[in-house]
């Protein structure tokens, strides 16, 4: 049952999801972004990366509810 659930939840994560995945780290995310930016610039394109940190958004929730 554990293996089936594990396989199912792995399909729910986006391929570029790095948090909470074994063998994936912030270093992988940074390297992927650098590679993407470099490739786009080499091809004469513009690269735009928008990074959001929503951690502070949860500080406004009343957790006692």
């Amino acid at each position: 049952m554990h293996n089936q659930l594990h396989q199912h939840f792995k399909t729910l994560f986006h391929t570029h999801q790095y948090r909470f995945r074994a063998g994936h780290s912030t270093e992988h995310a940074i390297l992927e972004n650098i590679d993407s930016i470099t490739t786009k610039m080499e091809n004469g394109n513009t690269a735009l990366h928008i990074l959001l940190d929503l951690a502070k958004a949860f500080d406004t929730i009343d957790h006692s509810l």
Side-chain angles (χ1 to χ4, degrees), residues 1-56:
M1 184 173 186
H2 174 268
N3 290 338
Q4 288 177 335
L5 284 172
H6 188 262
Q7 288 300 321
H8 173 70
F9 283 115
K10 279 175 46 176
T11 63
L12 298 178
F13 288 120
H14 190 274
T15 56
H16 299 290
Q17 168 74 33
Y18 290 95
R19 190 168 179 171
F20 306 119
R21 289 181 65 200
H24 294 80
S25 66
T26 54
E27 288 86 4
H28 289 111
I30 291 168
L31 289 173
E32 184 173 312
N33 278 313
I34 291 171
D35 182 56
S36 174
I37 292 169
T38 304
T39 301
K40 288 184 185 330
M41 289 176 66
E42 288 173 348
N43 292 330
N45 296 316
T46 302
L48 173 67
H49 288 252
I50 299 174
L51 307 171
L52 302 174
D53 181 4
L54 301 176
K56 290 293 181 185

